Amino acid sequence: MKYGIYVPNCWNYGSVAALTRLAQHAEQAGWEGFFIWDHLFVADDIPVVDPQIALASIAAATAPDGLRHIGALVTPLARRRPWKVARETAALQELSQGRLVVGVGLGRPPEYDFSTWELSTSAERAAALDDGLELLKLFWEGKPVQWRKPTEGQPASLHAREVDAPAFLPAPLPTPPIWVAGAIQYDDPDAERAATGPSAGGGGRRSAERSVRQPRRPFRRAASHDGLFPVRMPWDNAHPLSPEDLSRAIRLTFPSQPSPPGYDIVVTGRTKGPDAPVPQGDLDDYEERGRDLVVGGDARPRHA
């Protein structure tokens, strides 16, 4: 199990200088990774910093033998131009000396409601995400790209139907791993709290039934890349993903076969402080579930 810091790129962390100082402190304290959110807008009067600029500063201010992994979890690739993300990630991989992790997901409202040009449905964003991932990996090869999207029966995508581009040089070396987010879906968190009592940090155990439809496509997508970042939705810092939820996420990703060698599984949660929702004793449970459910593979559970 490896450990990293995971913080927003907004509120008190909506500053390049603040995030860079925190990353340096994390490195000095022996943390192995440093990850930030990727938002462009949250709400009125809330500071937000550009995640790519912040990561560039963090990469330049830390060392490969200190923070071994940095990245954004997660970039809503469906709301980005993949050729621009390809340039950004190649530069970040060079600047970080090979430490970049690229986290991707659909992206969700309301943080982008200020724009009338955003894709409005999950199906549209999923199509754009798959297009973006395909193009991103092609650009990373450092070869000319000729790409065509089939039109028949395909949802609309914000990305182009055709891409003809010269080689994107320099190509990122090594190619950054891609971690894909997938949501373990719950009902309204207030209803769950009323049904289950205190959070795990206060001695209770989250065991509410999920009465909403559980998406499977994000987990199938994650299986074809380098890592899985399962998150609890609706997002609730007081109720992070439980060990039982982690088991479910892994089974959704690899229902009939083990994970490939080197596959990463990422879990977040707070373990310190009077209201910490993850007891220290649960860390062994997370690790065991990650190990037991990928028998035959070589998954590396991480706790951010």
Side-chain angles (χ1 to χ4, degrees):
M1 183 116 78
K2 297 182 179 180
Y3 295 87
I5 300 291
Y6 182 46
V7 294
N9 66 320
C10 49
W11 294 298
N12 292 337
Y13 303 103
S15 158
V16 172
L19 285 172
T20 303
R21 286 194 300 269
L22 184 59
Q24 290 174 316
H25 290 316
E27 180 179 48
Q28 293 163 8
W31 293 88
E32 296 167 283
F34 193 88
F35 303 95
I36 63 176
W37 296 5
D38 185 337
H39 290 286
L40 300 183
F41 177 79
V42 177
D44 292 340
D45 301 323
I46 293 179
V48 179
V49 67
D50 183 275
Q52 307 296 352
I53 299 298
L55 287 172
S57 179
I58 291 165
T62 59
D65 60 352
L67 288 180
R68 299 183 181 275
H69 305 280
I70 64 172
L73 300 177
V74 293
T75 295
L77 191 57
R79 287 166 165 158
R80 303 285 195 271
R81 299 300 188 185
W83 35 90
K84 183 67 167 66
V85 175
R87 289 293 194 200
E88 293 167 347
T89 50
L92 285 171
Q93 185 70 318
E94 179 185 0
L95 192 58
S96 68
Q97 300 180 60
R99 293 179 287 156
L100 183 67
V101 172
V102 176
V104 299
L106 286 190
R108 300 175 67 89
E111 61 265 28
Y112 292 93
D113 282 352
F114 69 93
S115 173
T116 59
W117 295 98
E118 297 295 342
L119 298 170
S120 59
T121 70
S122 295
E124 290 173 327
R125 291 197 299 274
L129 173 56
D130 288 333
D131 291 348
L133 282 168
E134 186 177 347
L135 282 165
L136 187 62
K137 295 170 78 171
L138 288 173
F139 287 129
W140 281 349
E141 292 178 358
K143 301 176 183 178
V145 174
Q146 291 187 325
W147 178 85
R148 302 287 185 275
K149 180 182 175 69
T151 57
E152 184 176 353
Q154 295 291 327
S157 172
L158 189 64
H159 300 152
R161 292 285 184 184
E162 300 182 8
V163 174
D164 289 294
F168 270 40
L169 299 174
L173 294 174
T175 301
I178 295 174
W179 293 352
V180 179
I184 295 296
Q185 197 71 41
Y186 273 88
D187 265 331
D188 178 76
D190 292 332
E192 183 192 346
R193 277 194 291 271
T196 61
S199 68
R205 173 64 65 179
R206 300 178 300 279
S207 59
E209 292 292 329
R210 286 175 293 272
S211 61
V212 294
R213 186 180 65 85
Q214 172 61 57
R216 296 178 180 272
R217 184 172 177 181
F219 297 93
R220 292 196 297 268
R221 182 181 295 115
S224 62
H225 291 90
D226 306 295
L228 168 67
F229 179 36
V231 294
R232 182 194 186 284
M233 294 303 294
W235 180 274
D236 183 354
N237 281 331
H239 292 76
L241 208 72
S242 70
E244 293 78 11
D245 291 332
L246 177 61
S247 297
R248 177 173 175 79
I250 296 172
R251 290 192 183 98
L252 286 167
T253 307
F254 300 104
S256 59
Q257 61 185 21
S259 70
Y263 194 86
D264 287 314
I265 301 167
V266 186
V267 182
T268 66
R270 290 183 296 112
T271 57
K272 291 290 183 70
D275 61 344
V278 180
Q280 288 279 351
D282 275 8
L283 298 184
D284 289 341
D285 196 1
Y286 284 109
E287 184 170 15
E288 286 300 320
R289 288 172 185 272
R291 182 183 298 117
D292 291 346
L293 291 170
V294 289
V295 174
D298 183 26
R300 297 170 290 174
R302 302 174 187 268
H303 188 274

